Amino acid sequence: MRGDVLQLYPPPSAERELRGLYLAHDLRQFANRKEPYIYANFVTSLDGRIAVKRPRGKGMLIPKNIANDRDWRLYQELAAQADLILSTGRYLRDWAEGRAQEILQTDNPKFADLREWRIARGLKPHPDIAIISASLDFPIPKVLTQNGRRAIFFTTAKPNVKRVREIEAHAGSVFVAGKKRVTGKLLQERVRKLGYRVVYSAAGPQVLQLLLEGGVLNRLYLTHANRILGGQEFDSIVAGDLLKPAVDFKMNALYFDAAGLDGLGQMFSSYDRVEN
Ligand SMILES: NC(=O)c1ccc[n+]([C@@H]2O[C@H](COP(=O)([O-])OP(=O)(O)OC[C@H]3O[C@@H](n4cnc5c(N)ncnc54)[C@H](OP(=O)(O)O)[C@@H]3O)[C@@H](O)[C@H]2O)c1
């Protein structure tokens, strides 16, 4: 992949290779903390859209005109550093309809270096996956538990017993982690008990909300694509009640990618949550 990005923060400003940019953040350094280290990532338009209504049918999708291969490379580098990836029932429903792809693509020759990166660090080619779902209403694709990957499920109180048995027979353990909604604290506690240390949220705005409300998100990565999309029906990075108190962040890195989006440009930024 061609080209450098310009590191704007921290100073001094310097040209950096795109490839390896987020691997150099070395998120595995946080694996020895008391609590699991949890980070999330979004690509957003300048007007804050991370998903828009599908042109046909129900539901939302990542806007095709802000998704791009340079951001996707960094997304892969973030996913490669995790031992657990958080996703949702929506992802499995999309998968069943042929609209979803592997989150970390270590089987894709294009990302063979990331497979090697994991193996060199004693990690399995595929991180395990946690599915967050209140409904437990999704088909279970075989791929979920192939290649040594383990799946776990987080749901709410009094789940449908028959459904729990089906999921546990075919895929993996189901854990109740909240009454009406899965909460960040209970999810974090269970993730820690299961031995996971570095956790990547590839999910959307409702999951970011629960991670923020629970005070368990450590870092947020954002790509700002230089486009305004408009529209009435969209998702932003977070969805739920007003956060009380608001959650504060400090920037730890900012890069300008002039070559991104066919020369339109985009910003890659990373923020650490400030613990109150
Ligand atoms: N631009 C980006 O970088 C980016 C990143 C991620 C996602 N997206 C897009 O954003 C849209 C929404 O993604 P998403 O569905 O993964 O995100 P989400 O809004 O975080 O999660 C929605 C689903 O997760 C389950 N869920 C979430 N919070 C829960 C809670 N507290 N308790 C129990 N279950 C909970 C529910 O599943 P059930 O309905 O099964 O109960 C819910 O339908 C999609 O179009 C996706 O492609 C964009």
Side-chain angles (χ1 to χ4, degrees):
M1 187 168 292
R2 191 189 64 80
D4 293 332
V5 301
L6 187 62
Q7 176 173 317
L8 299 168
Y9 186 84
S13 166
E15 296 222 320
R16 304 279 307 274
E17 271 292 312
L18 177 83
R19 199 180 157 108
L21 192 70
Y22 280 176
L23 288 180
H25 284 206
D26 187 18
L27 298 168
R28 304 283 323 158
Q29 71 180 291
F30 304 121
N32 295 327
R33 289 190 169 190
K34 200 166 126 238
E35 299 297 344
Y37 187 82
I38 306 183
Y39 57 107
N41 171 50
F42 293 92
V43 57
T44 168
S45 63
L46 289 183
D47 48 342
R49 274 82 170 139
I50 64 113
V52 291
K53 198 176 162 320
R54 284 180 192 286
R56 279 173 292 281
K58 279 201 294 187
M60 312 290 276
L61 84 176
I62 296 186
K64 288 204 167 54
N65 49 2
I66 60 167
N68 66 91
D69 58 349
R70 295 172 71 82
D71 173 67
W72 186 233
R73 167 72 204 184
L74 295 185
Y75 178 103
Q76 292 294 312
E77 291 192 4
L78 292 177
Q81 297 178 62
D83 39 45
L84 181 71
I85 289 182
L86 303 182
S87 191
T88 66
R90 188 274 317 159
Y91 173 67
L92 295 187
R93 290 190 286 274
D94 278 0
W95 186 284
E97 292 178 19
R99 291 195 303 226
Q101 52 183 337
E102 273 284 3
I103 294 171
L104 173 59
Q105 306 214 330
T106 40
D107 294 334
N108 180 344
K110 208 169 149 190
F111 299 112
D113 64 308
L114 298 179
R115 187 186 182 92
E116 280 161 26
W117 188 96
R118 287 183 63 83
I119 290 168
R121 284 157 186 79
L123 298 166
K124 300 184 291 186
H126 290 279
D128 289 346
I129 186 160
I131 298 296
I132 300 168
S133 170
S135 71
L136 297 179
D137 181 15
F138 43 74
I140 300 167
K142 280 210 179 81
V143 68
L144 206 62
T145 52
Q146 280 170 351
N147 304 320
R149 175 165 41 198
R150 181 177 178 208
I152 54 175
F153 299 82
F154 288 103
T155 194
T156 44
K158 301 190 187 142
N160 178 320
V161 178
K162 185 164 165 267
R163 187 67 191 129
V164 170
R165 281 205 201 104
E166 278 166 8
I167 293 172
E168 295 201 323
H170 293 105
S173 302
V174 178
F175 300 99
V176 170
K179 279 189 188 154
K180 289 195 173 144
R181 297 174 60 233
V182 169
T183 71
K185 275 275 177 241
L186 293 175
L187 179 136
Q188 183 203 45
E189 195 181 308
R190 176 57 63 181
V191 161
R192 177 175 52 75
K193 283 187 184 153
L194 290 168
Y196 296 108
R197 308 303 317 152
V198 179
V199 181
Y200 180 43
S201 176
Q206 294 178 33
V207 170
L208 189 70
Q209 176 90 15
L210 77 89
L211 296 174
L212 293 172
E213 282 173 347
V216 300
L217 184 86
N218 294 97
R219 184 174 286 185
L220 177 64
Y221 284 90
L222 287 180
T223 295
H224 277 99
N226 290 357
R227 265 201 175 117
I228 291 184
L229 303 180
Q232 307 274 14
E233 286 184 63
F234 63 90
D235 283 331
S236 80
I237 65 170
V238 72
D241 293 340
L242 206 56
L243 291 161
K244 289 185 187 161
V247 184
D248 297 339
F249 288 86
K250 277 204 159 175
M251 179 178 280
N252 72 60
L254 178 66
Y255 312 91
F256 177 56
D257 176 29
L261 287 172
D262 297 324
L264 197 57
Q266 58 192 343
M267 298 286 239
F268 301 130
S269 54
S270 152
Y271 303 86
D272 287 323
R273 184 173 60 86
V274 176
E275 303 211 13
N276 295 316

